C-alpha cells in the first residue's frame, strides 16, 4: 500500500533552519512529481515548493524564494525541503504531496499526514 511519511519538523527561533524529509513507498517514486504544501491555523493550504520527477525542474513560492530549497533523491524515494532564515509566518503544518497521471490522464495524488514547524522567539 501507498505510504508517505514526513519528518524533520520542530520548534526553532526566527532565523533558524530545518530540513524536512518525505519518504514514499508503495508506488514508483521516480514517476511522480513531488511537492511541499503548508497550512497554518485558519489559513488555506498553500503550495510551497515542487520538483519534477527527475529533480531537474524545481519551483518555490515567492514567499519562500531565496530561503527554501526543494530537492529529491529518487534512489532513496525521498524529497527534501531545506528551510533557512525561518520566520514566524512560516509556522504551519507541512505536507508532502505526490502527483502523477495514469494512462487515461486521470490524476493520481497521495498525501502525507504532515509535520509541524513552529518558529517563535
Amino acid at each position: 500500500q501507498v505510504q508517505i511519511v514526513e519528518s524533520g519538523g520542530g520548534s526553532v527561533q526566527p532565523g533558524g533552519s530545518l530540513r524536512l524529509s518525505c519518504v514514499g513507498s508503495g508506488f514508483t517514486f521516480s514517476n511522480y512529481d513531488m511537492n511541499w504544501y503548508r497550512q497554518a491555523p485558519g489559513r488555506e493550504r498553500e503550495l510551497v515548493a515542487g520538483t519534477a520527477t527527475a529533480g531537474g525542474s524545481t519551483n518555490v513560492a515567492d514567499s519562500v524564494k531565496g530561503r527554501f530549497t526543494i530537492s529529491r533523491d529518487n534512489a532513496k524515494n525521498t524529497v527534501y525541503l531545506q528551510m533557512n532564515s525561518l520566520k514566524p509566518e512560516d509556522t504551519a503544518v507541512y505536507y508532502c504531496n505526490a502527483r502523477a497521471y495514469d494512462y487515461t490522464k486521470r490524476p493520481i495524488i497521495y498525501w502525507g499526514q504532515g509535520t509541524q514547524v513552529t518558529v517563535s522567539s
Side-chain angles (χ1 to χ4, degrees), residues 49-120:
T51 178
T53 55
S57 178
T58 62
N59 185 61
V60 297
D62 289 341
S63 60
V64 303
K65 186 176 182 180
R67 299 188 297 119
F68 290 11
T69 302
I70 188 171
S71 61
R72 67 190 295 161
D73 186 343
N74 286 341
K76 297 180 179 179
N77 287 358
T78 302
V79 61
Y80 305 95
L81 185 67
Q82 179 66 48
M83 305 185 295
N84 299 325
S85 302
L86 284 162
K87 304 175 180 179
E89 51 262 45
D90 296 319
T91 296
V93 177
Y94 284 71
Y95 297 91
C96 184
N97 162 274
R99 182 173 60 190
Y101 300 90
D102 67 12
Y103 66 98
T104 67
K105 298 185 178 180
R106 176 172 58 88
I108 305 171
I109 301 174
Y110 303 125
W111 289 94
Q113 294 185 349
T115 185
Q116 176 71 48
V117 171
T118 302
V119 185
S120 63

